[in-house]
């Protein structure tokens, strides 16, 4: 039996453009360096876009942490692209993009799966998602994700971690279905209040980390300090997990 304690982080970085409307990817890099996650799921990155200095953001952040990155483009952005990424301190055995775009509503959306090898015989299936803004979109995306095509696939022989910006508000159409199969890391620690975003004056939690069985949640928190309150319009969620492989 193999058991490892690992740190996971999910963070919508808002293209590195802070609440002060300034582009400064260094602030995001500083948060990541301070947290040192083994695996990070990032949303709203840009690659070679004019408004973000033509940076390949996932590569820049991965290089700062000395880890690998896999970027999943969901739409164009100026001359470049916009999407999400997974950063990993471990070798990546497989990566796959699932299209979650609703045919008539909203912008293109995707879910990125990355299989990482923590050590020989110990593999993790990591999913990073960024869901739509409307209830109709999220209902469609929930059905796509919580199915044998993605999260319940027979291909998944190892523990699963699902992270991302679920955009599920004010009426939840995603979490009840997810919680039938996975554990919300934040709720598992007995916490109820952990907003990661504000709609006007109203604080809500859009960003989550879910885990399958064989994963024990040791801690989970939302980082809310001077740096994270300006670096992005979202706050990062960080979980310490104990993963066991038979």
């Amino acid at each position: 039996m193999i058991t490892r304690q690992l740190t996971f982080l999910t963070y919508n970085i808002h293209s590195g453009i802070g609440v002060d409307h300034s582009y400064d990817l260094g602030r995001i890099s500083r948060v990541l360096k301070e947290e040192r996650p083994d695996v990070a799921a990032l949303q709203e990155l840009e690659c070679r876009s004019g408004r973000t200095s033509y940076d390949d953001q996932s590569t820049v952040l991965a290089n700062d942490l000395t880890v690998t990155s896999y970027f999943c483009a969901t739409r164009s952005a100026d001359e470049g692209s916009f999407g999400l990424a997974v950063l990993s301190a471990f070798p990546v055995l497989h990566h796959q993009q699932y299209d979650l775009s609703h045919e008539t509503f909203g912008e293109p959306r995707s879910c990125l799966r990355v299989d990482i090898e923590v050590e020989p015989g110990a593999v993790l299936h990591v999913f990073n998602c960024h869901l739509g803004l409307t209830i109709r979109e999220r209902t469609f995306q929930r059905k796509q994700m919580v199915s044998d095509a993605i999260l319940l696939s027979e291909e998944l022989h190892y523990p699963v971690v699902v992270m991302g910006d679920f955009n599920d508000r004010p009426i939840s159409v995603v979490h009840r279905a997810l919680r039938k199969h996975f554990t919300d890391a934040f709720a598992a620690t007995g916490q109820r209040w952990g907003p990661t975003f504000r709609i006007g004056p109203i604080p809500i939690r859009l960003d989550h980390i879910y885990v399958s069985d064989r994963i024990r949640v040791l801690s989970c928190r939302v980082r809310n300090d001077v740096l994270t309150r300006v670096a992005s319009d979202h706050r990062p969620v960080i979980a310490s997990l104990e993963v066991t492989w038979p």
Side-chain angles (χ1 to χ4, degrees):
M1 183 176 292
I2 301 171
T3 300
R4 289 288 297 271
Q5 184 175 325
L6 304 169
T7 300
F8 292 77
L9 175 147
T10 184
Y11 195 7
N12 182 323
I13 71 167
H14 198 238
S15 301
I17 300 172
V19 296
D20 57 358
H21 308 293
S22 296
Y23 174 58
D24 186 351
L25 194 62
R27 294 185 293 207
I28 302 297
S29 179
R30 181 180 160 193
V31 173
L32 295 177
K33 285 179 179 178
E34 290 173 356
E35 297 298 337
R36 301 301 304 183
D38 296 293
V39 182
L42 307 179
Q43 305 84 42
E44 292 196 16
L45 293 88
E46 297 192 23
C47 180
R48 309 300 184 191
S49 167
R51 75 171 189 151
T52 53
S53 302
Y54 299 98
D55 287 335
D56 179 345
Q57 294 185 333
S58 66
T59 299
V60 170
L61 294 172
N63 288 342
D64 286 348
L65 289 173
T66 320
V67 297
T68 58
S69 68
Y70 279 84
F71 176 70
C72 166
T74 57
R75 62 171 173 83
S76 60
D78 294 334
E79 305 90 338
S81 53
F82 177 93
L84 39 80
V86 170
L87 276 55
S88 171
F90 303 104
V92 173
L93 303 180
H94 171 80
H95 59 94
Q96 185 171 348
Q97 178 177 349
Y98 303 92
D99 185 6
L100 299 180
S101 306
H102 194 286
E103 59 185 7
T104 56
F105 290 89
E107 68 176 272
R109 301 284 181 176
S110 290
C111 176
L112 174 63
R113 167 186 161 189
V114 175
D115 297 345
I116 62 173
E117 186 179 48
V118 177
E119 59 182 86
V123 176
L124 269 174
H125 303 295
V126 177
F127 291 83
N128 180 12
C129 65
H130 188 191
L131 304 189
L133 297 176
T134 70
I135 289 177
R136 184 172 295 188
E137 281 181 275
R138 293 195 302 279
T139 300
F140 168 79
Q141 290 155 357
R142 178 204 70 208
K143 291 176 181 177
Q144 294 291 106
M145 288 183 61
V146 189
S147 72
D148 57 10
I150 305 181
L151 292 179
L152 306 182
S153 170
E154 293 182 353
E155 294 181 357
L156 306 180
H157 303 297
Y158 301 99
V160 175
V161 179
V162 186
M163 300 186 279
D165 176 358
F166 291 83
N167 267 324
D168 208 25
R169 82 280 188 256
I171 300 172
S172 174
V173 295
V174 175
H175 296 299
R176 182 177 296 179
L178 272 172
R179 286 170 181 155
K180 290 180 180 178
H181 306 279
F182 302 95
T183 299
D184 183 327
F186 194 81
T189 61
Q191 303 175 85
R192 294 184 179 275
W193 180 245
T196 62
F197 186 78
R198 283 183 177 270
I199 300 178
I202 303 172
I204 56 176
R205 185 156 63 98
L206 299 182
D207 308 271
H208 298 259
I209 297 175
Y210 281 93
V211 300
S212 67
D213 56 4
R214 288 184 279 166
I215 300 179
R216 186 164 70 97
V217 180
L218 303 177
S219 66
C220 188
R221 61 188 171 88
V222 176
R223 176 166 167 175
N224 184 12
D225 58 12
V226 173
L227 177 58
T228 59
R229 285 195 290 271
V230 69
S232 170
D233 58 351
H234 284 247
R235 309 287 179 268
V237 182
I238 304 101
S240 177
L241 307 176
E242 185 181 80
V243 188
T244 301
W245 293 266

